[in-house]
Amino acid sequence: MKKNLNVVGESVLRNDVVEKVLGTAKYIDDYKFDGMLYGFTVRSTISHGKIISINISKAKKINGVVNIFTAKDIPGKNFFPMILNDYPFLAENKVLFYGQPIALVVATNQEIAKEAAKNVFIEYEELEPVLDIHYAMKKNSPKIFGSDNILRKYIIKKGNIDQGFKEADVIVEDVFETNYQVHSYLEPNGMIAVPQPDGGITVYGTMQCPFYVHDAIANILNIYHNKIRVVQTTTGGGFGGKEDVPSLVAGHVALLAYLTKKPVKLVYTREEDFHGMSKRHPGYIEIKYGAKKNGKIVAAKVRYILDGGAFATLSPIVLWRGTVHAVGPYDIPNVLIESFAVATNKVPCGAFRGFGQPQATFANESLIDILAEKLKISPLKLRQINMLKPYSRTATNDKISNSCGFKKVLSEVIKKSKYEKILSKKNENLSTIKTGAGLAIAFYGVGLGAGGKYIDRAGAYLQIQKDGTVIISIGNTELGQGVFTVISQIASEILGAPYEFVKVLQPDTTRVPDSGPTVASRSTLMSGNAVLDAAKQVRERIDTMVLKLFNKSKGKVYSNGKEYFISTNPEKKIHYLEVIKKCFVQRINLSATGWYTGEDVSFDSETGQGKAYYSYTFSATVAIVKVNILTGVVEVKKIVSGHDIGKAINPKLCEAQIEGGVIQSLGYALTENLVLKNGIILNPSFAGYLIPTSMDIPEIIPVIVESKYSKGPFGAKGLGESPMITPSTAIANAIYNATGFRTKKLPVTPEILLELKNKK
Ligand code: MTE
Ligand code: MOS
């Protein structure tokens, strides 16, 4: 077969691997500037109250303390721009959660700054905290947001819900709950701000969204955007946790640098990061399905509530995604979804890989299994009857396009996992170890969709240098997911330049227009298309030169990745470097800017109907578990996880994304259990908050299906988050199939399993 792509679709070595493996990569805490000072944050020690006084006199006397600042020292606006703009940089009159920043110490080293922070004394008038979403929604609860504590609500109405349930032969309903999840990125949040001679400021740091940080600094300092430069440094993971809150860290450190006129570093300890930074929202989901005897689901109703914590930040968008996907990846004619993000006096929740979907998926994919059992139809068959296919309609009445390889994803996963065989095997009665298999499927709208369509765009700048090497600037950030490698492959493919020649520069707000956030698995699609646009412009000029060198006035130019040739004489080739040299001599412009905007999408706020996203990724996961019913310990033996992503630009990187997502989802299912008392996190460290270790990792079999999206670069959709959505529920379903204990809560700790067993 003729291979028509040179590097796209190949598992080339990722281009950030050498420095990361050798340890020469520099993370924010590795940087130092002359005369640099250190910041530390003074945080609230109560969950809800009025600030009566802030006493800094003792702290200020400590040797090495340069200054201490509070809200009144902010020259600009005291909030960072994020949807409802309700999160202050520094608390003014009241505090709404334990860990909320109140003041900032700046000192000659971090230990002194930390010590001084302990000696800032705050007098509070404590108020009753709202710790529970149900209480928060009651009339008589204290109000910490608006008149009802509701940060955002949505409704989706499709068909006629009452009629739908009337037509149903079987109805199932249940309530599911999920806990917080901590991002557990390798590198805690941190930034350095460096004042500039023109009164401006440059900020370096670990982050997903440099343009959000840019806006935040303009807000707090009240200076123009062209005096601010934000540079992302090599980032030790984000997973959504470095989407909104880096704006807070950057605002703080910019304020300190601006007021002291010195470079300042502010890097969080892990404990601070636990207390102060965003988390995955705890979810509470009431869900009901109605089906005909033959398995066709005719009605679905969901009431979905997220615990938003003290400030809204990203809750409206996380809730929106969760709402759109709340009834699962099924074609259901009658749907009613009502959803709420509710304010409580706890740490504000934000984005986390999957963005409101893992919570909803736990509910709908558990209930599908319950429905299957009641209908006496296999869980697989029930899904096959109802799942989305090309041209079927989602809950928002969005028509699925032909980029839908869902059927293939499911069949491959079923085949590779031997799901049906394991499911049909009965466990021996006397054995304490029970084996089971569980299935969960999902769809995932790629990009920001109708909920954030005005910022779904991206730019790129590309330049071929004298020696033929290429530099590229994009606005999306490398978080470990491999976007720089993917971008290099796309550019290399289009230009005909060897892959090794291409370098993606560290994202910098002065180099590329605002390209939106690095979230919603949008980078390959958005930045990929922007780079494609830029590269195509340059390639056109290269092709003109190649034709000239072949003495042709027209014709199609091909590349084998290092040489160009034309179809009429494929034997004769000209090396890339030779063409570039000629272009330089002839003063051809070998640079271009690229731009991409997402397809139009829409959403009616009254009915929730419309085209929510331009494209969807489809996924299916089977988990095989062994459960010890005496100890309640679950061992995950194997996970097969499949994803239709349009096109794998780099298959190995895609597999790595699937493996990483599966592991995060496994932790979410079994061990990651944040414990709060009176709104205070009791286990703010990895000693008490247990993420999977290498010993807990099962055999993982990633499956990639490529059903091309016509607007995606080489047909690609998006993958980043999809692997985190289904495995946790597949594990929960597997536990049920192994033991007969159905958990309605995540994580399924041994204690919960034993409790279920004792109830039985
Ligand atoms: N993979 C690694 N290694 N590190 C990360 O921080 N973040 C995830 C996912 N995969 C993340 C990751 C999240 S939450 C998102 S939205 C996507 O990557 C973002 O990258 P993409 O747009 O390139 O998919
Ligand atoms: Mo990912 S949660 O969209 O940063």
Side-chain angles (χ1 to χ4, degrees), residues 405-475:
F406 208 1
K407 206 172 148 191
K408 189 164 173 208
V409 167
L410 183 58
S411 66
E412 296 254 314
V413 166
I414 294 298
K415 200 169 70 196
K416 290 208 160 108
S417 62
K418 305 197 175 69
Y419 170 73
E420 287 171 296
K421 197 172 147 202
I422 299 169
L423 205 63
S424 64
K425 248 204 226 149
K426 285 263 169 301
N427 278 293
E428 295 215 4
N429 263 347
L430 292 175
S431 164
T432 55
I433 307 286
K434 310 280 186 196
T435 301
L439 169 65
I441 66 175
F443 71 138
Y444 173 90
V446 178
L448 301 169
K453 66 175 180 177
Y454 296 109
I455 54 169
D456 226 356
R457 33 62 176 146
Y461 173 70
L462 178 150
Q463 191 194 124
I464 301 184
Q465 317 258 296
K466 272 199 191 89
D467 60 357
T469 59
V470 182
I471 50 170
I472 297 173
S473 290
I474 55 167

Side-chain angles (χ1 to χ4, degrees), residues 98 146 164 222 369 383 416 426 434 483 515 521 548 620 752:
Y98 178 94
N222 194 24
D369 267 25
R383 286 177 173 83
K416 290 208 160 108
K426 285 263 169 301
K434 310 280 186 196
V483 66
S515 300
S521 311
K548 220 171 168 182
I752 290 193

Side-chain angles (χ1 to χ4, degrees), residues 208 238-241 243 351-355 444 479 518-521 721:
Q208 292 181 226
F239 307 109
E243 178 174 347
F352 193 146
R353 201 172 191 177
F355 234 87
Y444 173 90
L479 307 170
T518 301
V519 302
S521 311
E721 291 167 276

Side-chain angles (χ1 to χ4, degrees), residues 12-16 19-20 232-235 472-491 499 502-508 518 523-524 527 531 650 653:
V12 293
L13 196 67
R14 55 187 298 163
N15 52 15
D16 56 347
E19 61 263 36
K20 283 181 178 166
Q232 180 223 11
T233 45
T234 302
T235 291
I472 297 173
S473 290
I474 55 167
N476 283 131
T477 48
E478 176 61 74
L479 307 170
Q481 85 277 40
V483 66
F484 283 8
T485 302
V486 163
I487 291 297
S488 302
Q489 287 179 263
I490 291 172
Y499 165 74
V502 186
K503 181 178 168 65
V504 179
L505 303 174
Q506 225 31 62
D508 176 332
T518 301
S523 310
T524 299
S527 282
V531 167
N650 185 316
L653 278 183

Side-chain angles (χ1 to χ4, degrees), residues 325 328-330 357 361 364-365 383 388 406 409 440-445 616-621 642-644 722 725-726:
H325 295 86
Y330 303 109
Q357 278 193 244
T361 297
N364 61 55
E365 284 303 279
R383 286 177 173 83
L388 296 165
F406 208 1
V409 167
I441 66 175
F443 71 138
Y444 173 90
Y616 296 91
T617 291
F618 299 92
S619 68
T621 298
H643 304 263
D644 164 25
S722 182
I725 297 170
T726 44

Side-chain angles (χ1 to χ4, degrees), residues 646-714:
K647 168 82 188 164
I649 308 275
N650 185 316
K652 268 270 169 290
L653 278 183
C654 293
E655 288 176 6
Q657 277 295 291
I658 296 173
E659 287 163 4
V662 162
I663 296 165
Q664 252 173 342
S665 197
L666 186 151
Y668 187 51
L670 297 177
T671 59
E672 297 188 34
N673 198 18
L674 203 67
V675 183
L676 274 74
K677 195 175 170 197
N678 298 327
I680 304 170
I681 297 170
L682 298 183
N683 51 341
S685 80
F686 295 126
Y689 181 82
L690 306 178
I691 57 172
T693 69
S694 55
M695 299 298 285
D696 304 308
I697 296 174
E699 179 189 2
I700 300 172
I701 302 178
V703 175
I704 294 165
V705 168
E706 297 181 325
S707 179
K708 286 187 180 161
Y709 167 44
S710 60
K711 301 277 181 359
F714 300 94

